[in-house]
Amino acid sequence: MNNIISNSATFGVVISILGYFIGLQLKAKTKLAICNPLLISIIIVMAVLKVTGIQYSAYRVSGQYLSYLLTPATVSLAIPLYQQLHRLKKNWVGISVGLISGALASMTTVLALSVLFRLSHEDYVTMLPKSITTAIGMGVSEELGGIVTITVAVIIVTGILGNVLADSICRIFRITDPVAKGLAIGASSHAIGTARAMEMGEIEGAMSSLAIVVSGLLTVVGASFFAILY
């Protein structure tokens, strides 16, 4: 069975898309933040692999074509940013400070928790790129000697949490400015969070898209420095 699945060009893609579609339907009907389509699709895929006994390696081989779309999908986020270019020019100082603060906060938090829980250096660098998009985070983790597969899992969990909790956190801290919302969501939960930001509004989506790119670049540069701190 595993050999058949590995040689299939459709199984992994079909089961992934089907799981995501079911997630979309649940989200539309329940309106609950916890019913995140990506989270639901992950649960469904895990359940299918567990019940059928199919190994993850076999699923990954047949579903790898979806991964090829990750980079162009991230690049396409530049479109809403271009549409809000005038707002970017108007608030460039605040936006710059916010993005730098977001990247530093993410890496500093990982450093503090790693020291607190006495994690190994390998575990530490594995989690450093948790708040940037997978396409960039995988390269950062590999370069620093981290465990890439765990990095991917951490990035996805971070994104899902950002997507689910974005509204609640903004209400708790009384964040109402759309620019601030977008920057915070994009800097902390990358593309998955940006999907929620786009649902909030065009400005939130554009600023979140900007945060993905800039936070990724800042983390690429900053992670090398933070990696030697622990």
Side-chain angles (χ1 to χ4, degrees), residues 31-202:
K31 305 297 183 182
L32 297 175
I34 193 63
C35 291
N36 180 275
L38 182 59
L39 176 60
I40 298 299
S41 65
I42 290 174
I43 294 174
I44 290 175
V45 170
M46 289 175 62
V48 170
L49 298 184
K50 183 66 176 179
V51 171
T52 59
I54 298 173
Q55 295 180 1
Y56 171 74
S57 58
Y59 160 78
R60 183 180 60 187
V61 171
S62 64
Q64 61 183 331
Y65 303 104
L66 282 177
S67 300
Y68 297 152
L69 302 177
L70 184 60
T71 300
T74 302
V75 173
S76 69
L77 293 174
I79 296 175
L81 175 61
Y82 176 77
Q83 295 172 340
Q84 298 292 330
L85 192 59
H86 64 286
R87 198 175 301 274
L88 174 60
K89 293 178 179 179
K90 181 180 178 180
N91 302 283
W92 71 271
V93 175
I95 291 173
S96 299
V97 173
L99 291 174
I100 294 173
S101 300
L104 289 175
S106 173
M107 291 184 285
T108 300
T109 301
V110 174
L111 173 60
L113 291 175
S114 296
V115 173
L116 178 63
F117 291 101
R118 299 180 180 179
L119 300 182
S120 67
H121 176 77
E122 183 181 41
D123 293 334
Y124 166 58
V125 296
T126 294
M127 294 190 296
L128 264 182
K130 68 176 182 61
S131 293
I132 60 177
T133 185
T134 309
I136 303 176
M138 292 173 64
V140 173
S141 177
E142 184 177 9
E143 181 70 21
L144 297 178
I147 306 172
V148 177
T149 52
I150 296 180
T151 297
V152 172
V154 171
I155 290 174
I156 291 176
V157 170
T158 301
I160 291 175
L161 288 175
N163 187 294
V164 172
L165 300 176
D167 282 331
S168 299
I169 292 177
C170 287
R171 284 197 298 269
I172 291 173
F173 291 96
R174 299 180 181 180
I175 302 174
T176 58
D177 184 81
V179 174
K181 283 184 177 180
L183 292 177
I185 295 171
S188 60
S189 50
H190 50 85
I192 302 177
T194 298
R196 181 70 190 103
M198 288 184 170
E199 293 176 2
M200 293 179 175
E202 292 182 2

Side-chain angles (χ1 to χ4, degrees), residues 210-224:
L210 171 65
I212 291 177
V213 178
V214 178
S215 295
L217 294 176
L218 290 173
T219 302
V220 168
V221 176
S224 298

